[in-house]
C-alpha cells in the first residue's frame, strides 16, 4: 500500500489461475485495456468478483468480459469465441454455431441478432447460480 | 430498463393552432418520415460542420474492422451488412451504446436512477405526455454528444442527489455503480452530509438523529468486527478449508459443506435455550438419587444407558417440583413462604415452555431461510434459457487448480453435447411403442422401489415386535443395539439397490434422475422413522408401564444417532476409499469415484430429524449432534480430498440448496413437530420419573399453571383470559387459517398478473427492436443516396460539357 504502484502483468496472473478468460479479465479491469493492471485495478477486480458485489454490477462486468471485440454487444462472433474457450476447442464448428444460434434465440429480446447489456442482465436474472460462479475467493 | 431518449425535432413549424388539432398523429406516416428525414439532415450537417470525431477508444477502429470483416452485424429487411462511416458514427453515439463505455454516460445513467429513487415515481406525470397514442418525436430534446464538457456538471448533480438519499440507499446505489473504487470513494466522501448543517436538516427532526446514531453504531460495530476478525481467526476455522474445497471441486460439492454449516447453526440455536433454562438449572439443583448408580463402563457411549441414565442427559433426571423453594410443610395446605432472596423456578413449566420456544424459533428460522432461498432461485415468468445459462453462468471462477479446470472444461463440453443431443432427440419424436415401453419400464422400477421400501418397513416392524417380546436384562444391554443396527443396515443398502434399479430406466434429463433418486431415498428413510415412532409411542409406552418409558425412547434415539454415525463412517470408508483403491488396482481405471452429494445431504437431513425427534426425551441430544457434525466435516473433507472427484452431471447449486432446505423443513421438521405434539398432547407421561410424573398429559402442566394464575388474583387475569378464549377455543384457529389461505390466494393472483405484464413487456421490447432496425436502415439509405448524389454531382462537374451537349443532341 502507500504510494507504490505495482503493475501486474497478465503472465503473473496466469500463474494464479488457469481460467480461460484470464486475458479478457485483465483487459477489462486494466485502465488502458491492454492487460496491465495497477493495484487499484486489481482491487477493483476483487471487489467486483467478491461475494458482496450486487448482481447487476457483476452482470455488467461479465458482459464486458464476454464482449471480445469491445463493441458493447455480444454478437455471434463473441459467442463463438466464448464457447470455444469454454470447451478448449473440442466441439466441432457445426456444434458451436448451433449452440450460438440457440443462445441468441433464448436471450435476444429485441431480435437484432446480438445481445445487448439489457438482454444479458435479463438472462442473468434467470440464473441464480451466477452469483456463486462469478466469484473469486481470496 | 427504459430511459426516455432525449432528442427534439424542431422541424415541424406548426403554428399554435387554436383548435389544437394540427399535431401529426402517428397515422400520418409520411409526416413522421419526413420529419425524421429532416432531423437526419440536420444532424449530418452539424456533424460535417463541427467535425465531431469520436475521440473515444482505439479498439473502436478495431471493432469496426472486426465487425465489418467478420459476420453480419445486423439483420435488416434488406440485409445490408456494411454501413457508411456517417451511419456508424451516429450509431456509435446512440444512448444504448455509450452506456457501456464512457464514464459520463454511466454517471448520467445513475443520476437519473437516483432521481427516480428520490422521487419514488416510477412513471412520468401524465400531463407531460403527448396527446397522441405514441409520443411524437417533437416532445424530446436533442442531446448531442458533447460528453466531455457536461460530465463535470452531471457529476455534481449526481453528488447532490446522493446527498438526498439515506445512508443505506446511498451505499446501495454506490455499490452497484460500475466505476472504479477510487471514484466511488470520492463520490462517497463528497456526498456524505456535512456535519455542520444541522439546521437544514432540523425539519426532518428525530429521524435524522436516529439515522446518524444508527450509522455511527453500524460503523463502530463494523470496525470492531474487523479488529476482532484478525485476532479471532480461530472462531472461523473453516473459511480456508471451504475455500480449498471450492477451489478444487467447485460450487456443487461446496453446497454440501455449506449445508453442514447451516445445520450446525440450527443445532446451536436449539441447544442454547435448553442449556440455559433446563440443563443448567437442573445441574445446579441436582435431585436426590433414587437408587444405586451403576458404574461407568465403555458400553454407555454406545447404548446410552447405564451410568448415563441417571444424568442430565435424559428426561428422567428432571424433577417435577418447583426448584429453589424448599417448603417445610407443603401438606397442611398453607402457603409456602419462599426463602429470602430466592426465585422459585417451576421445572415442569420451564421444560415445556423452553422446548416450545426453541422449536418455535427453529421453525421461524427454517421457514425464513427456505423462503429466502426460494426467492433467489425462482423467477416469475422465466422460460428455460438453458443454453444461454450454460454458456455464460457455468464457468466457476472459484476453481484454481489446473486439473480441476481441465475437469470443468470437460464437464461443460459434455453438458453442451448433452443439450444438443436432447434437442435433436426431441426433434425426432419417439414412436408410440417406444413411449409405452418407457412408461412401462418406469412403472416397473417404481413398483420395485416401493416394494423394497415396504419390505424394509416390514422387517423393521417385525424386528421391533421381536425386541418387545424378548425383554432385555440389565446385563445384556448390548442386545439393544440390534434394532438400530438393522435400521442402519437397511438405510445403507436401500440407496445402493435403488441406484442399481435406476440404471434400468433411462431418463432424458440428468437433473430428473437426481430428483427421483432423492425422492426414493427420502421415502425409505421417512417410512422407517414413522414405523419406529409408532413402535415407541404406540407399543413401548404400553409395555413399559411402571418404568421410565421416556428414558427408554431417549436412549433409543441416542443409539440410533451413534449407529448412524458409525455407518456413515463405514460408508465413507467403503464407498470412497476402498472403491478408489479397487478401481485403481483391479479395474485399472483412472477415474476416482464421484462425491455423491444428494446421498450425503440426505444423511445429514436424517440425522437432524433424529435430533429433533429426540430433544423432548433427551435435552442434550443437540450437543451430541453438534459433536457429530464437527467430526463429520473433517472426515468428509479428508475423504473428499483423497478419494473423490466432482460430479460430472450439471448441478444447479442454488436450486439444489433450495430443495435441501425445503426437505429439511417439510418432511423432516414437520414430522418431528407432529411427533412431539402427539407426545405432549396425547400420551400419558410415566408416573415414576420426569417433570410431568403426576399429570395426565405433559400439556396439563400449562393448564394447571393457568388455573393457579386465575386463583392468584385479578392482576394477571389477562393470561387466563387469553388461554381460555384463544388457545382452548377453536374458532381463532379457523380464523387464522382462513386469513392465511386468503393471503396465499392473493399472492398467487399477483404472480399471475406479473406474468402477464412480463409477456407484454417482452413483446414491447421486440417491437422496439424492430423499430430500431427499420430506422437504421432508413438512415443508411439516406446516406447512400447522399453519397450517390454527391458522386453524381462531381462526375457532372468533371465530364466536359461537350459530351453532355453531344448526349443532348443525340436525344
Amino acid at each position: 500500500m502507500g504510494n507504490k504502484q505495482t503493475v501486474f502483468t497478465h503472465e503473473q496472473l496466469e500463474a494464479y489461475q488457469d481460467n480461460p478468460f484470464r486475458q479478457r479479465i485483465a483487459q477489462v479491469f486494466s485502465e488502458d485495456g491492454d492487460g496491465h493492471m495497477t493495484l487499484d485495478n486489481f482491487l477493483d477486480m476483487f471487489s467486483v468478483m467478491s461475494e458482496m458485489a450486487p448482481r447487476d454490477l457483476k452482470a455488467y462486468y461479465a458482459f464486458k468480459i464476454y464482449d471480445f471485440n469491445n463493441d458493447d454487444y455480444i454478437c455471434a462472433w463473441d459467442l463463438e469465441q466464448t464457447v470455444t474457450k469454454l470447451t478448449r476447442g473440442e466441439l466441432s464448428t457445426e456444434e458451436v454455431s448451433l449452440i450460438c444460434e440457440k443462445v441468441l434465440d433464448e436471450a435476444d429480446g429485441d431480435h437484432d441478432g446480438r445481445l445487448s447489456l439489457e438482454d444479458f442482465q435479463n438472462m442473468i436474472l434467470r440464473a441464480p447460480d451466477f452469483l456463486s460462479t462469478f466469484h473469486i475467493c481470496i | 430498463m427504459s430511459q426516455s431518449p432525449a432528442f427534439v425535432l424542431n422541424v415541424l413549424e406548426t403554428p399554435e393552432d387554436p383548435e389544437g388539432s394540427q399535431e401529426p398523429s402517428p397515422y400520418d406516416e409520411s409526416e413522421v418520415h419526413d420529419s425524421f428525414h429532416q432531423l437526419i439532415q440536420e444532424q449530418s450537417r452539424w456533424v460535417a460542420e463541427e467535425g465531431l470525431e469520436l475521440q473515444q477508444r482505439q479498439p473502436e477502429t478495431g471493432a469496426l474492422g472486426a465487425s465489418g470483416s467478420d459476420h453480419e452485424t445486423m439483420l435488416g429487411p434488406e440485409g445490408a451488412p456494411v454501413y457508411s462511416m456517417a451511419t456508424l458514427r451516429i450509431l456509435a453515439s446512440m444512448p444504448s451504446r455509450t452506456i457501456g463505455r464512457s464514464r459520463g454516460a454511466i454517471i448520467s445513467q445513475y443520476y437519473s436512477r437516483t432521481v427516480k429513487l428520490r422521487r419514488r415515481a416510477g412513471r412520468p406525470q401524465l400531463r407531460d405526455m403527448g396527446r397522441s397514442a405514441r409520443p411524437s418525436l417533437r416532445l424530446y430534446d436533442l442531446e448531442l454528444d458533447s460528453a466531455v464538457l457536461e460530465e463535470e456538471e452531471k457529476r455534481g448533480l449526481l453528488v447532490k442527489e446522493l446527498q438526498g438519499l439515506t445512508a443505506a440507499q446511498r451505499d446501495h446505489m454506490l455499490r452497484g455503480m460500475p466505476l472504479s473504487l477510487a471514484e466511488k470513494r470520492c463520490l462517497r466522501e463528497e456526498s456524505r452530509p456535512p456535519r455542520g448543517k444541522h439546521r437544514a436538516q432540523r425539519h426532518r427532526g428525530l429521524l435524522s438523529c436516529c439515522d446518524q446514531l444508527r450509522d455511527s453504531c453500524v460503523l463502530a460495530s463494523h470496525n470492531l468486527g474487523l479488529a476482532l476478525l484478525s485476532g479471532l481467526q480461530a472462531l472461523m476455522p473453516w473459511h480456508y478449508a471451504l475455500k480449498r474445497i471450492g477451489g478444487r471441486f467447485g460450487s456443487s460439492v461446496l453446497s454440501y459443506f455449506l449445508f453442514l454449516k447451516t445445520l450446525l447453526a440450527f443445532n446451536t440455536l436449539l441447544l442454547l435455550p435448553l442449556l440455559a433454562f433446563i440443563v443448567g438449572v437442573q445441574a445446579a439443583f441436582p435431585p436426590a438419587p433414587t437408587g444405586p448408580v451403576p458404574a461407568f463402563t465403555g458400553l454407555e457411549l454406545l447404548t446410552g444407558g447405564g451410568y448415563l441414565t441417571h444424568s442430565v442427559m435424559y428426561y428422567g433426571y428432571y424433577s417435577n417440583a418447583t426448584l429453589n423453594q424448599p417448603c417445610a410443610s407443603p401438606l397442611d395446605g398453607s402457603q409456602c413462604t419462599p426463602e429470602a432472596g430466592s426465585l422459585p423456578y417451576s421445572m415442569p413449566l420451564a421444560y415445556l415452555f423452553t422446548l416450545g420456544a426453541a422449536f418455535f424459533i427453529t421453525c421461524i428460522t427454517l421457514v425464513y431461510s427456505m423462503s429466502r432461498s426460494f426467492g433467489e432461485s425462482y423467477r416469475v415468468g422465466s422460460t428455460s434459457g438453458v443454453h444461454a445459462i450454460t454458456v455464460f453462468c457455468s464457468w466457476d471462477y472459484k476453481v484454481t487448480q489446473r486439473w480441476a479446470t481441465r475437469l470443468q472444461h470437460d464437464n461443460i463440453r459434455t453438458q453442451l453435447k448433452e443439450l444438443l443431443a436432447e434437442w435433436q432427440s426431441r426433434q425426432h419424436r419417439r414412436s408410440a411403442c417406444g413411449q409405452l415401453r418407457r412408461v412401462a419400464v418406469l412403472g416397473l422400477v417404481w413398483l420395485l422401489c416401493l416394494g423394497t421400501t415396504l419390505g424394509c418397513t416390514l422387517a423393521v416392524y417385525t424386528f421391533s415386535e421381536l425386541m418387545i417380546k424378548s425383554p432385555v436384562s440389565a446385563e445384556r444391554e448390548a442386545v439393544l443395539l440390534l434394532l438400530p443396527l438393522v435400521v442402519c443396515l437397511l438405510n445403507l443398502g436401500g440407496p445402493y439397490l435403488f441406484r442399481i434399479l435406476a440404471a434400468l430406466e433411462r431418463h432424458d434429463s440428468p437433473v430428473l434422475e437426481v430428483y427421483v433418486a432423492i425422492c426414493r431415498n427420502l421415502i425409505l428413510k421417512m417410512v422407517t422413522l414413522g414405523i419406529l415412532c409408532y413402535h415407541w409411542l404406540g407399543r413401548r409406552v404400553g409395555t413399559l408401564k411402571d418404568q421410565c418409558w421416556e428414558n427408554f425412547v431417549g436412549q433409543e434415539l441416542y443409539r440410533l444417532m451413534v449407529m448412524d454415525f458409525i455407518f456413515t463412517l463405514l460408508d465413507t470408508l467403503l464407498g470412497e476409499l476402498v472403491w478408489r483403491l479397487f478401481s485403481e488396482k483391479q479395474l485399472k481405471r483412472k477415474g476416482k469415484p464421484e462425491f455423491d452429494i444428494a446421498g450425503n445431504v440426505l444423511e445429514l437431513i436424517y440425522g437432524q430429524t433424529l435430533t429433533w425427534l429426540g430433544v423432548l426425551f433427551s435435552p442434550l441430544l443437540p450437543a451430541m449432534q453438534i459433536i457429530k457434525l464437527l467430526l463429520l466435516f473433517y472426515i468428509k473433507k479428508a475423504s473428499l480430498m483423497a478419494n473423490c472427484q466432482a460430479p460430472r452431471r450439471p448441478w444447479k447449486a442454488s436450486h439444489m440448496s433450495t430443495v435441501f432446505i425445503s426437505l429439511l423443513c417439510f418432511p423432516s421438521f414437520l414430522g418431528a413437530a407432529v411427533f412431539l405434539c402427539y407426545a405432549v398432547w396425547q400420551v400419558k407421561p410415566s408416573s415414576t420419573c420426569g417433570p410431568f410424573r403426576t399429570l395426565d398429559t405433559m400439556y396439563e402442566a400449562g393448564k394447571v399453571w393457568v388455573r393457579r394464575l386465575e386463583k392468584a388474583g385479578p392482576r394477571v387475569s389477562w393470561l387466563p383470559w387469553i388461554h381460555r378464549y384463544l388457545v382452548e377455543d377453536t374458532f381463532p384457529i379457523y380464523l387464522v387459517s382462513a386469513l392465511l389461505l386468503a393471503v396465499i390466494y392473493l399472492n398467487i393472483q399477483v404472480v399471475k398478473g406479473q406474468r402477464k405484464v412480463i409477456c407484454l413487456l417482452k413483446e414491447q421490447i421486440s417491437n422496439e427492436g424492430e423499430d430500431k432496425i427499420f430506422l437504421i436502415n432508413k438512415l443508411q439509405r439516406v446516406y447512400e443516396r447522399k453519397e450517390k448524389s454527391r458522386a453524381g454531382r462531381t462526375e457532372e462537374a468533371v465530364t466536359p460539357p461537350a459530351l453532355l451537349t453531344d448526349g443532348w443532341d443525340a436525344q
Side-chain angles (χ1 to χ4, degrees):
Chain A
M1 297 276 267
N3 297 333
K4 258 204 276 202
Q5 286 257 354
T6 328
V7 175
F8 288 82
T9 60
H10 68 250
E11 283 91 21
Q12 283 172 299
L13 289 173
E14 203 169 319
Y16 180 78
Q17 43 172 9
D18 198 13
N19 196 314
F21 302 109
R22 57 188 181 273
Q23 278 155 352
R24 281 300 301 160
I25 295 176
Q27 279 167 9
V28 161
F29 285 101
S30 60
E31 268 174 16
D32 342 333
D34 60 355
H36 291 86
M37 301 206 287
T38 63
L39 179 66
D40 281 337
N41 299 136
F42 195 66
L43 286 176
D44 278 342
M45 179 181 93
F46 275 109
S47 153
V48 167
M49 310 281 282
S50 74
E51 260 174 356
M52 308 286 297
R55 186 193 301 266
D56 280 340
L57 188 66
K58 287 197 187 213
Y60 174 86
Y61 279 100
F63 181 78
K64 289 184 85 165
I65 288 175
Y66 294 128
D67 179 17
F68 281 79
N69 52 11
N70 286 322
D71 64 348
D72 300 324
Y73 285 102
I74 295 183
C75 57
W77 184 77
D78 292 328
L79 277 175
E80 280 173 22
Q81 293 291 306
T82 309
V83 172
T84 314
K85 280 204 191 282
L86 269 181
T87 57
R88 276 194 318 162
E90 287 167 13
L91 283 180
S92 70
T93 345
E94 304 91 54
E95 287 173 333
V96 170
S97 56
L98 206 56
I99 289 173
C100 297
E101 210 181 277
K102 300 201 79 49
V103 170
L104 283 175
D105 273 339
E106 285 166 3
D108 192 8
D110 50 5
H111 303 296
D112 57 355
R114 51 206 185 149
L115 301 179
S116 65
L117 179 61
E118 285 82 26
D119 291 332
F120 190 77
Q121 278 175 335
N122 205 10
M123 195 246 327
I124 290 293
L125 271 180
R126 296 187 239 145
D129 286 320
F130 176 69
L131 284 177
S132 66
T133 54
F134 199 72
H135 169 226
I136 290 182
C137 202
I138 299 193
Chain B
M1 61 202 157
S2 58
Q3 306 178 52
S4 42
F7 58 95
V8 80
L9 188 59
N10 282 324
V11 182
L12 294 177
E13 251 90 32
T14 44
E16 276 298 276
D17 200 308
E19 288 107 62
S21 60
Q22 292 296 335
E23 288 170 89
S25 81
Y27 303 105
D28 295 342
E29 285 264 24
S30 51
E31 296 274 7
V32 173
H33 172 72
D34 285 337
S35 51
F36 192 60
H37 179 73
Q38 293 189 22
L39 162 73
I40 293 165
Q41 284 193 326
E42 252 191 32
Q43 259 278 43
S44 52
R45 217 183 308 132
W46 187 86
V47 157
E49 284 165 14
E50 301 280 352
L52 181 72
E53 289 293 331
L54 285 175
Q55 68 276 34
Q56 267 101 2
R57 333 112 311 159
Q58 304 315 328
E60 164 86 286
T61 47
L64 289 178
S67 53
S69 66
D70 281 327
H71 315 260
E72 29 82 57
T73 47
M74 298 285 264
L75 299 167
E78 279 107 72
V82 178
Y83 297 111
S84 64
M85 287 304 288
T87 319
L88 285 168
R89 233 181 261 135
I90 292 190
L91 285 186
S93 43
M94 276 199 300
S96 64
R97 297 196 72 162
T98 54
I99 283 171
R101 234 191 297 130
S102 63
R103 274 180 65 245
I106 293 174
I107 286 177
S108 58
Q109 182 195 10
Y110 273 87
Y111 163 67
S112 57
R113 268 195 200 170
T114 321
V115 164
K116 254 192 237 167
L117 189 64
R118 284 239 301 144
R119 276 202 221 129
R120 293 191 180 276
R123 268 180 240 149
Q125 301 284 335
L126 255 174
R127 59 171 176 258
D128 297 333
M129 297 286 255
R131 268 176 277 160
S132 52
R134 280 169 77 158
S136 75
L137 300 165
R138 286 190 322 145
L139 290 176
Y140 300 111
D141 283 331
L142 182 67
E143 187 181 78
L144 306 172
D145 194 16
S146 53
V148 179
L149 296 168
E150 281 196 7
E151 198 180 289
E152 288 306 314
E153 293 178 30
K154 278 267 150 70
R155 193 170 182 283
L157 286 170
L158 178 65
V159 166
K160 240 188 269 177
E161 287 297 329
L162 282 175
Q163 277 172 355
L165 296 176
T166 63
Q169 282 174 327
R170 187 170 49 233
D171 280 341
H172 183 77
M173 188 62 78
L174 278 173
R175 224 178 261 169
M177 282 194 204
L179 299 168
S180 70
L181 276 182
E183 287 192 45
K184 285 199 222 187
R185 235 179 266 143
C186 290
L187 280 173
R188 192 175 64 170
E189 286 301 321
E190 288 172 28
S191 59
R192 209 169 264 172
R195 306 241 166 180
K197 285 204 179 152
H198 286 298
R199 279 184 205 278
Q201 294 177 358
R202 189 67 66 89
H203 69 281
R204 295 225 194 97
L206 203 61
L207 220 60
S208 74
C209 275
C210 287
D211 272 348
Q212 281 189 347
L213 192 66
R214 196 193 61 207
D215 280 352
S216 46
C217 281
V218 164
L219 208 62
S221 63
H222 190 62
N223 285 337
L224 190 68
L226 282 176
L228 279 179
L229 206 65
S230 48
L232 290 176
Q233 197 72 354
L235 275 187
M236 295 209 303
W238 291 347
H239 176 76
Y240 182 60
L242 289 175
K243 181 188 160 196
R244 276 185 72 204
I245 292 172
R248 294 179 67 175
F249 298 96
S251 313
S252 53
V253 173
L254 195 61
S255 64
Y256 166 78
F257 290 92
L258 290 175
F259 190 70
L260 212 156
K261 242 175 105 167
T262 316
L263 280 182
L264 209 63
F266 274 119
N267 278 306
T268 319
L269 195 67
L270 188 62
L271 185 66
L272 286 175
L274 292 177
L275 272 182
F277 294 109
I278 303 182
V279 178
V281 173
Q282 190 66 65
F285 296 94
T290 47
V293 177
F296 181 82
T297 63
L299 199 60
E300 271 93 23
L301 291 176
L302 278 183
T303 61
Y307 178 75
L308 288 175
T309 318
H310 302 285
S311 66
V312 212
M313 183 93 188
Y314 294 110
Y315 171 96
Y317 187 77
Y318 295 87
S319 77
N320 71 332
T322 310
L323 301 172
N324 210 14
Q325 191 185 34
C327 282
S329 50
L331 296 170
D332 57 12
S334 61
Q335 290 278 351
C336 289
T337 52
E339 288 182 5
S342 66
L343 205 63
Y345 193 85
S346 167
M347 198 63 207
L349 278 181
Y351 204 91
L352 196 64
F353 286 149
T354 312
L355 268 174
F359 259 75
F360 188 67
I361 293 174
T362 311
C363 180
I364 300 274
T365 319
L366 256 180
V367 169
Y368 173 71
S369 54
M370 184 178 80
S371 64
R372 207 175 49 151
S373 180
F374 192 70
E376 278 174 13
S377 65
Y378 176 73
R379 295 275 172 252
V380 176
S382 71
T383 52
S384 59
V386 67
H387 293 85
I389 290 176
T390 310
V391 168
F392 289 122
C393 305
S394 56
W395 181 265
D396 199 346
Y397 285 72
K398 276 203 274 287
V399 177
T400 52
Q401 305 235 333
R402 200 163 276 257
W403 60 267
T405 49
R406 286 284 147 80
L407 198 66
Q408 262 207 72
H409 281 299
D410 291 338
N411 283 354
I412 293 179
R413 190 193 68 228
T414 319
Q415 268 181 52
L416 288 172
K417 279 207 165 131
E418 274 176 7
L419 283 173
L420 282 179
E422 197 181 332
W423 178 73
Q424 271 164 2
S425 79
R426 227 180 288 157
Q427 305 287 42
H428 319 298
R429 289 261 147 208
R430 230 180 256 136
S431 62
C433 201
Q435 291 268 40
L436 211 64
R437 205 182 315 145
R438 227 181 106 245
V439 169
V441 168
L442 255 162
L444 184 67
V445 174
W446 264 103
L447 262 173
L448 282 172
C449 290
L450 288 175
T452 317
T453 310
L454 200 66
C456 294
T457 316
L458 275 173
V460 171
Y461 179 71
T462 323
F463 203 78
S464 64
E465 289 295 311
L466 202 70
M467 294 290 291
I468 286 185
K469 288 209 185 82
S470 49
V472 179
S473 59
E475 289 84 33
R476 290 169 62 233
E477 280 207 349
V479 177
L480 289 169
L481 286 173
L482 279 179
L483 182 59
L485 195 77
V486 166
V487 171
C488 288
L489 266 174
L490 290 173
N491 275 333
L492 187 68
Y496 283 114
L497 188 65
F498 292 151
R499 219 186 290 179
I500 294 173
L501 285 174
L504 286 176
E505 58 184 23
R506 253 169 262 114
H507 282 285
D508 279 336
S509 80
V511 183
L512 196 62
E513 273 182 48
V514 176
Y515 281 139
V516 164
I518 288 178
C519 206
R520 288 177 185 152
N521 285 343
L522 197 68
I523 292 176
L524 174 66
K525 290 189 155 77
M526 291 299 144
V527 169
T528 319
L529 274 181
I531 285 288
L532 282 174
C533 290
Y534 163 74
H535 165 70
W536 293 323
L537 284 188
R539 304 278 289 123
R540 279 290 178 183
V541 175
T543 52
L544 289 174
K545 266 213 181 336
D546 295 323
Q547 301 159 44
C548 205
W549 64 266
E550 292 99 344
N551 266 11
F552 184 79
V553 175
Q555 285 165 1
E556 284 269 278
L557 278 158
Y558 176 94
R559 285 191 282 266
L560 257 178
M561 268 185 69
V562 170
M563 274 288 143
D564 185 49
F565 180 59
I566 292 175
F567 270 80
T568 311
L569 287 181
L570 265 177
D571 189 19
T572 311
L573 213 63
L574 287 175
E576 292 174 9
L577 176 67
V578 171
W579 186 250
R580 175 182 71 99
L581 292 172
F582 180 69
S583 70
E584 267 179 16
K585 303 269 167 59
Q586 295 294 114
L587 304 176
K588 304 277 187 228
R589 256 189 294 167
K590 280 263 167 149
K592 294 181 175 176
E594 276 182 29
F595 186 75
D596 181 15
I597 301 174
N600 280 306
V601 170
L602 277 180
E603 285 284 333
L604 287 178
I605 294 179
Y606 179 71
Q608 190 59 40
T609 317
L610 290 176
T611 312
W612 280 330
L613 283 174
V615 99
L616 176 63
F617 308 108
S618 168
L620 277 183
L621 214 56
M624 288 280 314
Q625 173 77 349
I626 288 177
I627 296 173
K628 180 177 146 188
L629 285 174
L630 286 172
L631 287 174
L632 209 60
F633 181 89
Y634 291 108
I635 293 168
K636 283 285 176 189
K637 184 178 87 102
S639 169
L640 176 75
M641 295 291 191
N643 304 327
C644 297
Q645 67 176 10
R648 294 194 161 270
R649 293 294 185 199
W651 183 267
K652 300 189 213 168
S654 77
H655 220 245
M656 297 310 285
S657 305
T658 313
V659 168
F660 294 145
I661 278 267
S662 319
L663 286 178
L664 191 67
C665 192
F666 279 123
S668 171
F669 183 77
L670 200 67
V674 164
F675 175 77
L676 247 87
C677 286
Y678 183 78
V680 165
W681 254 291
Q682 299 286 1
V683 184
K684 183 169 181 345
S686 66
S687 47
T688 52
C689 63
F692 303 105
R693 43 189 107 145
T694 49
L695 305 166
D696 276 334
T697 64
M698 294 187 198
Y699 184 64
E700 233 183 77
K703 282 198 220 167
V704 164
W705 180 61
V706 167
R707 258 173 242 136
R708 215 186 301 159
L709 276 182
E710 271 179 0
K711 285 193 215 132
R715 252 182 300 153
V716 275
S717 63
W718 52 272
L719 207 58
W721 185 88
I722 288 179
H723 185 258
R724 198 179 316 145
Y725 289 109
L726 291 182
V727 178
E728 284 189 338
D729 200 2
T730 47
F731 177 69
I733 296 179
Y734 285 135
L735 193 66
V736 167
S737 315
L739 274 172
L740 269 173
L741 280 172
V743 166
I744 292 174
Y745 177 72
L746 280 171
N747 271 314
I748 291 176
Q749 294 303 317
V750 163
V751 164
K752 270 196 198 157
Q754 282 178 346
R755 240 184 236 138
K756 278 198 202 123
V757 169
I758 288 176
C759 281
L760 285 173
L761 286 174
K762 275 198 190 143
E763 261 185 55
Q764 190 180 355
I765 291 177
S766 174
N767 286 337
E768 299 288 336
E770 282 174 24
D771 281 351
K772 197 167 79 170
I773 293 174
F774 169 79
L775 290 172
I776 289 175
N777 286 324
K778 288 265 186 214
L779 193 70
Q780 174 63 17
R781 259 184 276 154
V782 160
Y783 276 119
E784 274 175 2
R785 239 180 290 157
K786 266 184 55 162
E787 295 278 335
K788 275 194 210 130
S789 65
R790 205 191 302 149
R793 256 185 275 128
T794 48
E795 262 186 33
E796 276 179 16
V798 161
T799 46
L803 281 173
L804 274 177
T805 48
D806 285 347
W808 275 112
D809 287 343
Q811 280 187 359

